[in-house]
Amino acid sequence: MPNSSNSTTTPRTKGERRNRDAEVMDAAVRIFYEKGYSGASLQDVANEVGVLKGSLYYYFDSKEDLLLRIMKESHVQSETIFEKVSAKGLDPLDELDEILQELMQWYLDNVERVAIYFNEGRRLTGERLEEVEAAGRRFEQHLYTLLARAKKDGAIGDIDLRLCIRFILGALNSVPTWHKPSKQRRPSDKAITRQFAEMTIKSMSP
Amino acid sequence: MPNSSNSTTTPRTKGERRNRDAEVMDAAVRIFYEKGYSGASLQDVANEVGVLKGSLYYYFDSKEDLLLRIMKESHVQSETIFEKVSAKGLDPLDELDEILQELMQWYLDNVERVAIYFNEGRRLTGERLEEVEAAGRRFEQHLYTLLARAKKDGAIGDIDLRLCIRFILGALNSVPTWHKPSKQRRPSDKAITRQFAEMTIKSMSP
Amino acid sequence: MPNSSNSTTTPRTKGERRNRDAEVMDAAVRIFYEKGYSGASLQDVANEVGVLKGSLYYYFDSKEDLLLRIMKESHVQSETIFEKVSAKGLDPLDELDEILQELMQWYLDNVERVAIYFNEGRRLTGERLEEVEAAGRRFEQHLYTLLARAKKDGAIGDIDLRLCIRFILGALNSVPTWHKPSKQRRPSDKAITRQFAEMTIKSMSP
Amino acid sequence: MPNSSNSTTTPRTKGERRNRDAEVMDAAVRIFYEKGYSGASLQDVANEVGVLKGSLYYYFDSKEDLLLRIMKESHVQSETIFEKVSAKGLDPLDELDEILQELMQWYLDNVERVAIYFNEGRRLTGERLEEVEAAGRRFEQHLYTLLARAKKDGAIGDIDLRLCIRFILGALNSVPTWHKPSKQRRPSDKAITRQFAEMTIKSMSP
DNA sequence: TATGAATGAGAGTTCATTCAT
DNA sequence: TATGAATGAACTCTCATTCAT
C-alpha cells in the first residue's frame, strides 16, 4: 500500500515504446522537493529523467503546469482518503481519528509530494492558483463539519474550531519538515500515526 | 513588545544621511516572504528600497549572506525569549506554557520573518547552513530538556518526547501559513496564544 | 476565374484517401501570411491541417522548400497571364492596360499568396533564392519591353522607364497591404482594377 | 540633411561613459532590415553592437519594445515633414507635390527604417500595435484631407480618393523594395523624387 | 501515410554580481 | 554611498528536423 511514487504503477510493456509521463512526474517531484520550485531548473529534471530539457515539453506545457499536475495528484489522494473513511459511517471522533492516521500514513510515505504541496503551492498563479486554493478550502471545510459534529456531541470542548483546525493541520502538515524517508523508521509508522492522532484528540478534549 | 519590524525602530532625525541597513533588511524580508528566496530577485529588493540593484552590495556580500542575516535576527529573538522565561524559575509545565505563548506572540507579530525562517532556511549552503541548523538544534534541545523534566515530574504522560516535540513545533510553526498580519485580529492574539498553549499542554497530559 | 485557393479545387470523393498536398499548401499560405515566414512555425501549419508536425515532412523536404513551392505557384500564375494577354496581339498600351487589370484581379483574389510573394521571398537562400529572383527579373523584363515599345510609339512620355516600372509595380504590388479579402468589396473589383489601370496609364502619358 | 542614422548625432563626450542607446537602435535597424523582425535574433544585434545579448536589456524591455521604438522614430520624422510643409500654406496640389518629394527623399535616405516600418509593423501586438496603427491612420487622414481639398478645387479628377491614396502610397512606399542605399545613385535622388511626384500628380489629373 | 517521441540548437529573458566613476 | 553599465551564466521555452513504428 505504501507507494511513494504513485505514477509508475503502469506495467511496462515489451517493445519499450515508453510513455515517460510517470518518470517525468516523479523526477520533478524529487527535484522540486530538493531545490524548491523556483530554485529547481528544468535542466535538473531533464538530467534526472535522462532526456534533453527541450524534450520535457512533450510532457507538459510549462514549468508551472508541471507543478499544478503534481499538486492535483495530491488532491486526488487526500480526497480519496476522505471518501473512503467517510463511507464507514463512524462517530465523528472515530472518523477524525481514522482520517488523521490514514492521512499521516500517506504523508509518511510521500514526504516529497506533501512538502511540495504545502510549500510550493503558492508559486502558482492565476487560474492554477485558484484551482489549488479551492481544493484546500474543500479539505478544511470537510474537517470543519466533522469537528462541528463532534462538538455538538460534546466530544470536544468549547474551543474555537477554526483555530483548532489550524492547530491540528499545523501538527499534521509538519511531517515533511522532519520525516526523512530514507532512514530506518524508528519509531514505527504505526507508533507515529497513533501518537499523533491521540495527541490531537486529547488536545481538543472537553 | 510586539514589534513587527525589528529594525526600523531607530528614530530618523531629519536631514540625516542614515545607514539604510535596516531598510534593506526589511525590504528583503517582505520580498523573500512574498516570492520565496529563490523566486525573489535583488532587483525586487532594490525597487522596494528605492535604490539601484548594484547599490545593494554595499549592505551585504551576496544574496545568500542577506538571507543568513535575516535568519540570525530570528535566532536572537527566540533565544532572548528562552532566556527571559528561564530566568523566572517556574515549574516545567508553567515554563513551557509561558514560552509557547511568548513565542507565538512573536510569531503573530512577525509572520514574514517566521515564514522565511522555516521555509527558506534550507536554501542556505555550506557554513551558513550549518550555522542555522545548529541554532535549530539548540532550540529543540532546550525544549527537550524542559519536557524531560516535566515527564519526570509526572506532569506529562508516557509518550515519545522527540515525537512530541515534532507535534508541538508543527502546530506552533504553522502560524505563518494561516495568520494574515494585515487583517483585524479576530480572535484576539491573546485568545490565540492561550488556546494554542492549552491545546498543547492538554495533548501531552498523562 | 477568381479562384482564391488554387489548390483545393479537386472535388473530394467520399471515403477516398486523398493526397493532402493541396491542403498542406493552403494551410501554409494562411499561416505564412498571418505570421510571416520566420514567425510561423510548422506546428502552426500542422494544427491548421490537422496533422502532427512530423507528418508534414511527407509533403515537403524543409520549411524553406515549402516556401519555395508557394512562390512557384505564383510565378506560374503571372506568367500565364502574360502569355494569355500577349497572344492577343494588342497595341502596347492596350496590352499593358489588360495585363494590369488581369494581374490586379488575381492579386485581389489571392491577397495572401501575393503578400507572401512580395514579403517573404527574401527569406529564401542559395539556389532557391536565385530561382525566385530570376522569375522576378523575367517579369520586369517583360514589362520593360512592353513600355519600350509604347514609348517608341509615343504613347508614353519621355521618362526613365526603369523608374517608371518601380512606380507601377509599387502601386500594383501594394494590394495585399490594404485589401482585406473577407470584407464586402466596395468599391467593386472591376472599379478598383479599372481606376488603377487608368491612373497608371495616365501617370506615364506624354 | 541626408542622415541615414538619426540617432548617432549626439557628440561623444570625453571620458567615454557612453550611453549606447543610439548604437543599439542603429544596430537593430540594420539587423531587422536584413533578416526581418522575426528572423532576427537579439544575438545578432548584440554582435553588431559588440556587447553580450543579455546586456541589451539595459536599453530596452523586450524585443518587441525595441521594434516599437524604431517605429516611433519614423513617426516623428513623417509628422515633422507634414508639419513643416503644411506651415507653408501652399495650394493643395503644390503641398502634395512637396510632401511627396520630401517624404521620398527621407525614404531614400532611410531605406532600412522605412522597410521596417512597412513590413515589420504588423509583428507588434496589443497596445503597441494599436499605437502604430493609430499613427498610420493619422498619416492617411492628413493625405485624405489634402486630396479632398484638391478635388474641390478641380485640381484632380473624379476618382475614388481612398483608392487613390492606396495607389499613391503603394508607389511611394515601394522605395525600400528597390532602392539600394549602398549603390551610386543613378538616377540622382532629385530626379527620382521629381519623376515620382510628377507621375503621381499626373495619375490623378482630371 | 501518419504517429509519437526525441533531438539539438538556439530563442528571448532574467539575474547575481562587478566595478569605474 | 550610490550609480550606470556591463558581464556571463543560467533559465524557460520553441522549433525544424529525424526516425522507428
Side-chain angles (χ1 to χ4, degrees):
Chain A
M1 211 149 318
N3 168 18
S4 77
S5 133
N6 5 19
S7 358
T8 48
T9 42
T10 337
R12 192 160 297 165
T13 8
K14 64 151 207 270
E16 271 316 28
R17 58 166 79 188
R18 57 255 204 70
N19 180 328
R20 297 158 102 164
D21 212 272
E23 294 167 53
V24 168
M25 220 75 157
D26 285 349
V29 166
R30 281 192 296 276
I31 299 293
F32 284 2
Y33 170 69
E34 200 179 332
K35 310 200 167 186
Y37 171 74
S38 303
S41 83
L42 292 182
Q43 182 64 70
D44 295 328
V45 178
N47 291 345
E48 188 93 355
V49 180
V51 285
L52 291 181
K53 72 183 163 170
S55 309
L56 289 177
Y57 282 78
Y58 182 78
Y59 296 99
F60 49 77
D61 293 338
S62 68
K63 194 187 177 190
E64 203 183 310
D65 176 53
L66 176 57
L67 176 56
L68 176 62
R69 289 214 214 166
I70 294 174
M71 305 289 284
K72 277 176 162 177
E73 290 185 354
S74 293
H75 292 161
V76 171
Q77 280 296 333
S78 67
E79 277 162 19
T80 302
I81 289 177
F82 271 130
E83 284 165 20
K84 207 180 69 180
V85 179
S86 253
K88 295 191 180 178
L90 304 168
D91 277 351
L93 227 51
D94 288 340
E95 183 174 336
L96 180 64
D97 183 79
E98 196 154 335
I99 280 178
L100 289 175
Q101 292 201 44
E102 290 263 2
L103 270 178
M104 191 145 190
Q105 182 61 54
W106 188 71
Y107 284 15
L108 290 171
D109 293 331
N110 295 76
V111 187
E112 296 176 340
R113 293 185 123 85
V114 177
I116 291 170
Y117 188 83
F118 290 117
N119 298 330
E120 310 300 337
R122 83 188 64 170
R123 301 300 157 225
L124 293 171
T125 60
E127 280 188 28
R128 281 186 272 246
L129 180 57
E130 282 168 32
E131 195 174 337
V132 165
E133 286 176 338
R137 280 190 300 271
R138 283 199 305 276
F139 186 104
E140 278 196 28
Q141 191 52 41
H142 191 111
L143 223 54
Y144 185 82
T145 48
L146 199 57
L147 290 185
R149 281 171 48 212
K151 195 174 178 183
K152 204 169 8 172
D153 294 1
I156 69 181
D158 183 31
I159 54 179
D160 182 309
L161 288 189
R162 287 284 163 212
L163 213 49
C164 183
I165 287 181
R166 306 289 176 221
F167 184 89
I168 295 176
L169 290 185
L172 178 66
N173 297 343
S174 73
V175 167
T177 68
W178 50 263
H179 187 63
K180 293 293 161 290
S182 53
K183 287 197 176 175
Q184 288 303 325
R185 295 172 174 188
R186 286 288 297 132
S188 74
D189 287 3
K190 200 67 208 159
I192 295 177
T193 59
R194 217 174 257 158
Q195 177 168 334
F196 256 69
E198 261 172 40
M199 290 181 75
T200 303
I201 307 271
K202 265 202 289 183
S203 74
M204 304 180 296
S205 66
Chain B
M1 208 151 320
N3 167 17
S4 78
S5 136
N6 0 21
S7 355
T8 50
T9 43
T10 340
R12 186 169 305 173
T13 338
K14 78 144 196 261
E16 184 188 7
R17 197 158 274 282
R18 268 188 357 79
N19 187 316
R20 294 160 97 166
D21 212 90
E23 294 167 49
V24 168
M25 221 72 158
D26 284 350
V29 166
R30 279 191 298 275
I31 298 293
F32 285 1
Y33 170 69
E34 200 180 330
K35 310 200 167 187
Y37 172 74
S38 303
S41 81
L42 292 183
Q43 181 63 68
D44 294 327
V45 177
N47 291 344
E48 188 93 356
V49 180
V51 107
L52 286 195
K53 187 169 48 162
S55 311
L56 289 177
Y57 281 78
Y58 179 79
Y59 299 100
F60 48 77
D61 296 337
S62 70
K63 195 187 177 191
E64 202 182 313
D65 176 53
L66 175 57
L67 176 56
L68 177 61
R69 288 214 216 165
I70 294 174
M71 305 289 286
K72 279 176 162 176
E73 290 185 354
S74 293
H75 292 160
V76 172
Q77 279 295 334
S78 65
E79 277 161 18
T80 303
I81 289 176
F82 271 129
E83 284 165 19
K84 207 181 69 181
V85 179
S86 254
K88 295 191 178 177
L90 303 169
D91 276 352
L93 226 50
D94 289 339
E95 182 173 338
L96 179 63
D97 184 79
E98 195 154 338
I99 281 178
L100 288 176
Q101 292 201 47
E102 290 263 2
L103 268 178
M104 191 145 191
Q105 183 61 53
W106 189 72
Y107 284 15
L108 289 172
D109 294 330
N110 295 75
V111 186
E112 295 176 342
R113 293 185 123 83
V114 177
I116 291 170
Y117 188 83
F118 290 118
N119 299 328
E120 311 300 338
R122 80 188 68 168
R123 302 298 156 226
L124 294 170
T125 61
E127 280 188 28
R128 280 185 274 244
L129 179 57
E130 282 168 33
E131 195 173 338
V132 166
E133 286 176 338
R137 281 191 300 270
R138 283 200 304 277
F139 186 105
E140 277 194 30
Q141 190 53 41
H142 191 111
L143 222 53
Y144 185 82
T145 49
L146 199 57
L147 289 184
R149 281 171 48 212
K151 195 174 179 184
K152 202 165 14 170
D153 294 1
I156 69 180
D158 181 31
I159 53 179
D160 182 308
L161 287 189
R162 286 286 163 212
L163 213 49
C164 182
I165 289 181
R166 305 292 175 218
F167 184 89
I168 296 175
L169 290 185
L172 178 66
N173 297 344
S174 72
V175 167
T177 70
W178 50 263
H179 188 63
K180 294 292 160 291
S182 54
K183 288 197 175 176
Q184 289 301 327
R185 295 173 175 191
R186 285 290 297 133
S188 74
D189 286 4
K190 199 68 206 160
I192 294 177
T193 59
R194 219 174 256 158
Q195 177 168 332
F196 256 70
E198 260 173 40
M199 288 181 75
T200 305
I201 307 271
K202 263 203 292 184
S203 75
M204 303 180 297
S205 67
Chain C
M1 206 154 322
N3 168 18
S4 78
S5 134
N6 1 21
S7 354
T8 49
T9 42
T10 338
R12 186 169 306 172
T13 337
K14 80 146 193 260
E16 186 189 8
R17 198 159 274 284
R18 267 188 358 77
N19 187 315
R20 295 159 98 166
D21 213 88
E23 294 167 49
V24 168
M25 220 74 159
D26 283 350
V29 167
R30 279 191 297 276
I31 299 293
F32 285 2
Y33 171 68
E34 200 180 332
K35 311 199 166 188
Y37 172 75
S38 303
S41 82
L42 292 183
Q43 182 64 67
D44 295 327
V45 177
N47 291 344
E48 187 93 356
V49 180
V51 107
L52 286 194
K53 186 170 47 162
S55 311
L56 289 178
Y57 282 77
Y58 179 80
Y59 297 100
F60 49 77
D61 295 338
S62 70
K63 194 187 178 190
E64 202 182 311
D65 176 53
L66 175 57
L67 176 56
L68 177 60
R69 288 215 218 165
I70 294 174
M71 305 288 285
K72 278 177 163 177
E73 290 185 353
S74 293
H75 292 161
V76 171
Q77 280 295 334
S78 66
E79 277 161 19
T80 302
I81 289 176
F82 272 130
E83 284 165 21
K84 206 180 70 180
V85 178
S86 253
K88 295 192 179 179
L90 303 169
D91 276 352
L93 226 51
D94 288 340
E95 183 174 337
L96 179 65
D97 184 80
E98 196 153 336
I99 281 178
L100 288 176
Q101 292 202 45
E102 290 264 2
L103 268 179
M104 190 145 192
Q105 183 61 54
W106 189 71
Y107 283 15
L108 290 172
D109 292 329
N110 296 76
V111 186
E112 295 176 342
R113 293 185 124 84
V114 177
I116 292 170
Y117 188 83
F118 290 118
N119 298 329
E120 310 300 337
R122 79 187 69 166
R123 302 300 156 225
L124 293 170
T125 61
E127 280 188 27
R128 281 185 273 246
L129 180 57
E130 283 167 32
E131 196 174 335
V132 166
E133 287 176 338
R137 281 191 299 272
R138 282 199 304 277
F139 186 105
E140 278 195 29
Q141 191 52 41
H142 191 113
L143 223 53
Y144 186 81
T145 50
L146 199 58
L147 290 185
R149 279 171 49 213
K151 195 173 178 183
K152 202 164 16 165
D153 293 1
I156 68 181
D158 181 31
I159 54 180
D160 182 310
L161 287 190
R162 286 285 163 212
L163 213 48
C164 183
I165 288 180
R166 306 291 176 220
F167 184 89
I168 296 175
L169 290 185
L172 178 66
N173 297 345
S174 73
V175 167
T177 69
W178 50 263
H179 187 62
K180 293 293 162 289
S182 55
K183 287 198 175 174
Q184 289 302 326
R185 295 172 174 191
R186 286 288 298 132
S188 73
D189 286 5
K190 200 68 207 159
I192 295 177
T193 59
R194 218 174 256 159
Q195 177 167 334
F196 257 69
E198 260 173 42
M199 290 181 76
T200 305
I201 308 272
K202 264 202 291 185
S203 74
M204 304 180 297
S205 66
Chain D
M1 208 153 319
N3 168 17
S4 79
S5 133
N6 8 16
S7 358
T8 47
T9 43
T10 338
R12 191 159 297 166
T13 9
K14 67 150 205 276
E16 270 315 29
R17 58 166 78 190
R18 55 252 206 71
N19 181 326
R20 298 159 99 163
D21 213 272
E23 294 167 53
V24 168
M25 221 74 157
D26 285 348
V29 166
R30 279 191 297 277
I31 299 293
F32 285 0
Y33 170 69
E34 199 180 332
K35 311 201 167 187
Y37 172 73
S38 303
S41 84
L42 292 182
Q43 182 63 69
D44 295 330
V45 178
N47 291 344
E48 188 93 355
V49 180
V51 287
L52 292 180
K53 74 179 164 172
S55 309
L56 289 177
Y57 282 77
Y58 183 78
Y59 295 99
F60 48 78
D61 294 337
S62 68
K63 195 188 177 190
E64 203 183 309
D65 176 53
L66 175 56
L67 176 55
L68 177 61
R69 290 214 214 166
I70 294 174
M71 305 288 285
K72 277 176 161 177
E73 290 185 354
S74 293
H75 292 160
V76 171
Q77 280 296 332
S78 66
E79 278 162 19
T80 303
I81 289 177
F82 272 130
E83 285 164 21
K84 208 181 67 182
V85 179
S86 254
K88 296 191 178 176
L90 303 170
D91 278 351
L93 225 51
D94 288 341
E95 182 173 337
L96 180 64
D97 184 78
E98 195 153 338
I99 280 179
L100 288 175
Q101 293 201 47
E102 290 263 2
L103 270 177
M104 190 143 191
Q105 182 62 53
W106 189 71
Y107 284 14
L108 290 172
D109 293 331
N110 295 76
V111 186
E112 296 176 340
R113 293 184 124 85
V114 176
I116 292 171
Y117 188 83
F118 290 118
N119 299 327
E120 310 301 336
R122 82 188 65 168
R123 301 299 156 226
L124 293 171
T125 61
E127 279 188 28
R128 280 185 273 246
L129 180 57
E130 283 167 33
E131 197 173 336
V132 166
E133 286 177 338
R137 281 191 299 270
R138 283 199 305 276
F139 187 103
E140 277 195 29
Q141 191 52 41
H142 191 111
L143 223 54
Y144 185 82
T145 49
L146 200 57
L147 290 185
R149 281 171 49 212
K151 195 174 178 183
K152 205 172 2 175
D153 294 1
I156 70 181
D158 182 31
I159 53 178
D160 183 308
L161 287 189
R162 286 285 164 211
L163 214 49
C164 182
I165 288 182
R166 306 290 175 220
F167 183 89
I168 296 176
L169 289 185
L172 178 66
N173 297 344
S174 71
V175 167
T177 69
W178 49 263
H179 187 63
K180 295 292 161 291
S182 53
K183 288 197 176 174
Q184 288 302 325
R185 296 173 175 190
R186 286 288 297 133
S188 74
D189 287 3
K190 200 66 206 160
I192 294 176
T193 60
R194 217 174 258 158
Q195 177 168 333
F196 257 69
E198 260 173 41
M199 289 182 76
T200 303
I201 307 271
K202 263 203 291 183
S203 74
M204 303 181 296
S205 66

